[in-house]
């Protein structure tokens, strides 16, 4: 493995790690573990914890995947490993 | 026109559409049969993946589960969507770069071992078959209710339809049919939801309706729901009743299981490029999320409508309970299916629906002259199908829901059957037992395997072994504890070797199986369980359905330790891993 593709892989891992931390926080932390605390805050007629569990986490998952796809495509070009 | 005519018209019309698409897109090579020739646009592929993934369980059962379990059912919403994040970032692009047809093929080649490939084939077939049985049963139930034919006839018609378009079309036909099926099912799900949300809250977007005030100015929807259900002795809708540990593990099992289910993974082999595989997972989740974010609104509104239909006024007022003689039409229809049952315990000719297991409220109920909950059965699975009828929507909407339920079940069944047939014809025949088989014969073997799988699944669907709900847990447990870790370590841990992977898969699979069987009976045979299936006996309070996440962890740890004490994988395998980590050169791998 050349050093440039080694850097590419490290950048990839860093990106995935950051996105998976967010994935964990919105679903497990906000949606389950901290649900009662967050339910003290209300948006409209829904407690925030309940909202994360039944709506917010799914919207966040969507954003995470598209951010990942966009950033990875940029990394592919930066390290010149993109498809033709 | 009456409901029956509408149903024949809409269901018949959609079936003609599916078969027409199959004939138009007939597969002519193994590439087209297994992976649609890798020429499917990521948005189209995302839509097909969504139809593939959303089964009768998502369409019919999930909102009903939410309606009766409230907040606790969030685990299904998060678990069945969060897996796509793992799939997009940890598996899809790399497996696409690897550029082969099946999941066992990757495992066999990455771990340079036929044993690993066979173990993967077994996991795949067990997980897929158990899943198909449930779909065929769903098809039979939906037909039985709406076309008023026998359950068995419904299953046979469903088998014939799947046979035509899956066997002829292969992945190419399935992909285009699934796009049509997605459109049918998403219309069928959202149109009634929009009507009902508009009715109750004045907001046409169900996702916003969930957090809105009711049109009758009696407060927010969820607050009102919490009040009326707790007033009848039920658990508060928005409160947590399960333990946090169990919820976390169940969510994690469903997520890892989703990312490890072969018929979902296989979809990412069908896009032209690695970057399309990344986006494709996102598009799949967009199309899934349209249904999944609607489901909480459908569930809560159905519960509110149902409760209000029966309890029409203040609790305790004898006039405030619905007269059985005046029950609505949908009530009568579902009573004939046996899925809804009423028993006039106190003989007053009115319906009392409350939680008689709650001692505090049961005492109060007695003072009203109530003698127990009279809605002795409300099957959760009827909620989505009955919802448009409860809200008195037009007949064509109700017929559309029937077509949507069938589309969801058939699209998932077809995807699973393709995964089974490719495992048999490509992995077992071509890969191991008949290496010199010609492409034409392999294609024929694939079609025969699929036809065989349809017959087996149809037969088991007609005579379900009576444990449909348990086997779904098993399918997810299997996928989570065996397939996902092997794939992930194959990509992210270059030093993982064949012994580590095989021992890891067997350890993960074995512990998960043992844990499930200990509480649910060996091979699900009633009475053979070692311990009663309840919270006091569960290890750390972990329910068997949640154990897949623990099994996956065991797989990771065992594989890591074993790989440390055995020989590192050969150089060419380490180069293979380097190669699949970069997108460059993916085009070459696609051509066979």
């Amino acid at each position: 493995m050349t050093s440039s593709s080694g850097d590419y892989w490290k950048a990839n891992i860093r990106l995935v790690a950051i996105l998976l931390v967010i994935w964990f926080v919105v679903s497990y932390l906000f949606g389950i573990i901290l649900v009662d605390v967050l339910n003290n805050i209300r948006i409209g007629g829904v407690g925030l914890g309940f909202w994360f569990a039944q709506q917010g986490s799914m919207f966040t998952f969507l954003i995470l995947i598209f951010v990942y796809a966009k950033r990875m495509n940029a990394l592919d070009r930066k390290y010149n490993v993109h498809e033709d | 026109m009456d409901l029956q005519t509408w149903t024949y018209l809409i269901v018949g019309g959609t079936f003609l559409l599916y078969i027409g698409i199959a004939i138009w897109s007939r597969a002519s090579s193994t590439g087209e049969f297994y992976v649609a020739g890798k020429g499917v646009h990521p948005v189209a592929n995302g839509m097909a993946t969504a139809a593939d993934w959303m089964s009768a369980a998502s369409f019919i059962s999930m909102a009903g589960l939410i309606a009766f379990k409230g907040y606790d059912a969030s685990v299904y919403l998060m678990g069945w969507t969060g897996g796509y994040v793992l799939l997009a970032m940890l598996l899809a692009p790399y497996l696409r770069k690897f550029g082969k047809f099946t999941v066992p093929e990757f495992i066999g080649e990455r771990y340079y071992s036929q044993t690993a490939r066979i173990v993967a084939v077994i996991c795949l077939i067990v997980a897929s078959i158990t899943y198909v049985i449930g779909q065929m049963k769903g098809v039979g139930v939906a037909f039985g209710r709406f076309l008023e034919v026998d359950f068995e006839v419904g299953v046979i018609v469903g088998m014939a339809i799947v046979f035509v378009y899956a066997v002829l079309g292969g992945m190419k036909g399935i992909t285009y049919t699934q796009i049509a099926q997605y459109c049918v099912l998403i219309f069928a799900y959202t149109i009634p939801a929009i009507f009902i949300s508009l009715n109750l809250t004045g907001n046409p977007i169900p996702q916003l309706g969930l957090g809105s005030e009711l049109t009758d100015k009696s407060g927010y929807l969820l607050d009102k729901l919490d009040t009326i259900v707790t007033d009848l002795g039920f658990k508060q809708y928005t409160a947590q009743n399960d333990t946090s540990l169990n919820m976390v593990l169940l969510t994690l099992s469903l997520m890892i299981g989703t990312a490890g289910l072969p018929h979902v993974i296989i979809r990412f082999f069908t896009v032209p490029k690695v970057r399309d595989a990344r986006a494709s997972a996102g598009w799949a989740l967009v199309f899934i999320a349209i249904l999944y974010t609607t489901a909480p609104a459908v569930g809560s509104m159905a519960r509110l409508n149902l409760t209000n239909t029966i309890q029409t006024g203040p609790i305790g007022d004898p006039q405030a309970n619905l007269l059985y003689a005046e029950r609505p039409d949908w009530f009568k229809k579902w009573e004939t299916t046996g899925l809804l049952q009423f028993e006039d315990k106190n003989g007053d000719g009115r319906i009392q629906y409350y939680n008689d297991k709650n001692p505090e409220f049961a005492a109060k109920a007695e003072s009203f002259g109530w003698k127990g909950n009279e809605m002795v059965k409300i099957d959760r699975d009827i909620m989505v199908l009955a919802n448009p009828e409860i809200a008195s929507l037009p007949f064509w909407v109700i017929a559309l829901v029937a077509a949507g339920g069938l589309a969801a079940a058939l699209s998932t069944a077809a995807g699973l059957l393709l995964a089974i047939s490719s495992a048999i014809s490509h992995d077992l025949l071509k890969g191991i037992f008949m290496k010199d088989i010609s492409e034409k014969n392999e294609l024929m073997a694939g079609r025969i395997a699929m036809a065989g799988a349809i017959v087996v699944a149809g037969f088991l669907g007609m005579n379900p072994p009576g444990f449909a709900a348990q086997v779904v847990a098993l399918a997810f447990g299997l996928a989570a504890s065996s397939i996902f870790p092997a794939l992930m370590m194959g990509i992210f841990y270059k030093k993982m070797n064949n012994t580590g992977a095989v021992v890891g898969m067997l350890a993960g699979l074995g512990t998960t199986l043992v844990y499930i069987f200990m509480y649910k009976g060996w091979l699900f045979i009633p009475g053979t369980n070692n311990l009663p299936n309840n919270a006091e006996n569960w290890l750390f309070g972990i329910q068997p359905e949640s154990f897949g996440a623990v099994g996956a962890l065991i797989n990771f740890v065992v594989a890591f330790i074993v790989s440390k004490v055995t020989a590192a994988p050969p150089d060419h395998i380490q180069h293979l891993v380097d190669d699949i980590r970069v997108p460059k050169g993916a085009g070459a791998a696609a051509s066979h």
Side-chain angles (χ1 to χ4, degrees):
Chain A
M1 194 186 255
T2 62
S3 74
S4 116
S5 58
D7 290 344
Y8 167 77
W9 188 245
K10 271 186 210 141
N12 173 6
I13 299 282
R14 197 178 314 124
L15 174 65
V16 170
I18 293 168
L19 296 175
L20 285 183
V21 167
I22 301 172
W23 165 83
F24 176 84
V25 168
V26 292
S27 52
Y28 297 95
L29 209 59
F30 289 176
I32 300 175
I33 297 164
L34 296 179
V35 64
D36 288 333
V37 183
L38 289 181
N39 274 344
N40 292 322
I41 306 167
R42 283 172 63 107
I43 43 168
V46 194
L48 190 60
F50 184 89
W51 182 79
F52 264 108
Q54 299 212 336
Q55 305 266 350
S57 57
M58 290 186 275
F59 293 131
T60 316
F61 294 157
L62 273 178
I63 297 167
L64 290 178
I65 297 181
F66 283 109
V67 167
Y68 167 77
K70 199 166 184 304
R71 297 292 285 273
M72 277 310 286
N73 293 344
L75 277 183
D76 287 354
R77 297 205 161 269
K78 186 175 165 195
Y79 289 94
N80 198 27
V81 292
H82 57 283
E83 297 151 288
D84 25 82
Chain B
M1 273 198 291
D2 63 352
L3 177 58
Q4 195 71 8
T5 320
W6 271 115
T7 311
Y8 276 112
L9 215 63
I10 292 185
V11 172
T14 56
F15 280 7
L16 283 181
L17 178 69
Y18 306 152
I19 292 172
I21 291 170
I23 293 168
W24 165 70
S25 59
R26 196 163 184 267
S28 55
S29 67
T30 49
E32 285 186 349
F33 188 78
Y34 294 133
V35 292
K38 300 195 170 144
V40 182
H41 188 274
V43 177
N45 191 55
M47 210 181 259
T49 310
D52 202 338
W53 166 240
M54 289 191 289
S55 61
S58 297
F59 189 92
I60 296 172
S61 305
M62 196 173 60
L65 264 176
I66 298 170
F68 291 100
K69 294 183 80 167
Y71 165 77
D72 283 355
S74 309
V75 291
Y76 300 102
L77 293 165
M78 292 188 284
W80 283 334
T81 52
Y84 279 85
V85 177
L86 300 177
L87 203 51
M89 297 179 192
L90 304 178
L91 301 182
Y94 309 106
L95 295 178
R96 172 61 195 87
K97 171 67 198 296
F98 180 68
K100 292 291 165 61
F101 289 157
T102 70
V103 171
E105 198 171 14
F106 174 79
I107 290 182
E109 200 147 320
R110 166 62 181 83
Y111 296 117
Y112 45 100
S113 150
Q114 296 288 32
T115 317
R117 189 167 180 174
I118 292 170
V119 170
V121 168
I122 293 169
C123 295
L124 185 153
I125 290 179
V126 174
S128 303
I129 282 272
T130 50
Y131 226 51
V132 183
I133 298 171
Q135 305 307 316
M136 296 318 281
K137 185 163 180 260
V139 170
V141 170
F143 267 122
R145 164 70 184 81
F146 286 100
L147 301 182
E148 288 170 22
V149 292
D150 273 349
F151 169 71
E152 282 84 6
V153 178
V155 173
I156 291 170
V157 175
M159 280 164 64
I161 303 275
V162 175
F163 184 85
V164 171
Y165 72 75
V167 173
L168 273 185
M171 188 60 141
K172 201 174 162 201
I174 287 176
T175 303
Y176 292 117
T177 316
Q178 281 172 336
I179 292 170
Q181 285 165 331
Y182 177 79
C183 298
V184 171
L185 80 85
I186 204 68
F187 271 113
Y189 203 84
T190 48
I191 286 177
I194 290 169
F195 273 118
I196 294 167
S197 176
L198 207 51
N199 257 341
L200 283 175
T201 66
N203 196 324
I205 301 166
Q207 286 83 344
L208 297 176
L210 182 71
S212 298
E213 282 179 85
L214 294 164
T215 40
D216 62 8
K217 301 274 171 261
S218 57
Y220 286 109
L221 171 81
L222 288 173
D223 292 344
K224 172 82 182 209
L225 187 54
D226 271 343
T227 314
I228 66 165
V229 297
T230 46
D231 280 354
L232 288 165
F234 294 105
K235 286 169 180 157
Q236 197 185 337
Y237 187 83
T238 56
Q240 180 179 351
N241 295 302
D242 202 354
T243 65
S244 290
L245 174 69
N246 224 344
M247 286 185 71
V248 166
L249 286 178
L250 184 51
T251 308
L252 193 58
S253 298
L254 296 177
M255 285 189 188
I256 301 176
T258 299
L261 279 178
H263 73 289
V264 177
I265 298 175
I266 219 173
R267 301 248 34 137
F268 297 97
F269 299 162
T270 61
V271 290
K273 289 183 186 303
V274 172
R275 63 170 178 272
D276 296 331
R278 293 173 187 145
S280 204
W283 285 111
L285 191 55
V286 167
F287 295 120
I288 292 168
I290 296 175
L291 190 145
Y292 270 60
T293 54
T294 308
V298 172
S300 57
M301 290 171 190
R303 179 84 179 267
L304 187 69
N305 273 338
L306 177 78
T307 315
N308 279 339
T309 303
I310 297 172
Q311 184 73 44
T312 55
I315 295 159
D317 177 353
Q319 304 299 314
N321 289 84
L322 182 69
L323 271 170
Y324 182 66
E326 288 173 12
R327 68 197 187 284
D329 253 2
W330 61 265
F331 198 113
K332 293 176 196 157
K333 278 193 218 137
W334 284 102
E335 272 183 308
T336 59
T337 63
L339 297 173
L340 192 69
Q341 283 167 21
F342 166 77
E343 193 186 317
D344 197 357
K345 290 181 179 164
N346 63 353
D348 66 349
R350 290 176 181 274
I351 306 171
Q352 280 96 40
Y353 171 47
Y354 67 101
N355 184 9
D356 52 10
K357 306 265 178 340
N358 176 343
E360 210 178 309
F361 188 76
K364 206 159 132 199
E366 260 197 75
S367 70
F368 304 143
W370 297 1
K371 300 232 166 78
N373 177 26
E374 300 182 343
M375 292 304 300
V376 285
K377 183 165 184 186
I378 305 177
D379 192 292
R380 289 165 179 162
D381 288 352
I382 73 173
M383 292 312 285
V384 167
L385 296 176
N387 212 12
E389 298 176 273
I390 298 177
S392 330
L393 298 182
F395 284 151
W396 65 268
V397 177
I398 301 171
L400 190 61
V401 171
L406 287 168
L410 291 176
S411 58
T412 306
L416 289 161
L417 288 165
L418 185 90
I420 295 169
S421 109
S422 63
I424 292 172
S425 63
H426 193 70
D427 289 308
L428 289 186
L429 285 184
K430 168 100 176 163
I432 297 170
F433 297 114
M434 294 171 68
K435 285 199 170 145
D436 47 0
I437 191 169
S438 71
E439 184 172 336
K440 194 162 162 256
N441 286 342
E442 190 193 339
L443 202 56
M444 180 54 69
R447 292 197 159 113
I448 293 171
M450 196 183 280
I454 292 173
V455 173
V456 171
F459 176 77
L460 290 171
M462 265 185 239
N463 306 287
F467 48 71
Q470 287 102 312
V471 289
V472 169
L474 177 62
F476 273 87
L478 278 178
S481 63
S482 62
I483 297 174
F484 178 81
L487 291 175
M488 192 185 155
M489 286 182 294
I491 296 158
F492 286 84
Y493 185 50
K494 214 190 292 181
K495 296 261 190 278
M496 181 50 63
N497 60 13
N498 55 354
T499 331
V502 172
V503 176
M505 275 197 278
L506 292 175
L509 188 66
T511 45
T512 308
L513 272 181
V514 168
Y515 195 81
I516 292 176
F517 285 162
M518 263 169 58
Y519 296 100
K520 300 215 171 221
W522 292 85
L523 296 173
F524 300 116
I525 297 164
T528 57
N529 52 322
N530 307 66
L531 291 163
N533 188 16
N534 58 41
E536 286 106 71
N537 290 294
W538 294 337
L539 195 64
F540 306 116
I542 301 169
Q543 69 185 73
E545 286 82 355
S546 310
F547 200 79
V550 182
L553 184 70
I554 292 171
N555 184 338
F556 278 119
V557 172
V558 168
F560 182 76
I561 294 171
V562 171
S563 73
K564 280 279 166 205
V565 297
T566 45
D571 279 348
H572 73 274
I573 295 297
Q574 304 204 25
H575 286 137
L576 173 79
V577 178
D578 280 337
D579 184 58
I580 58 173
R581 285 178 178 184
V582 293
K584 201 171 194 165
S591 56
H592 276 255

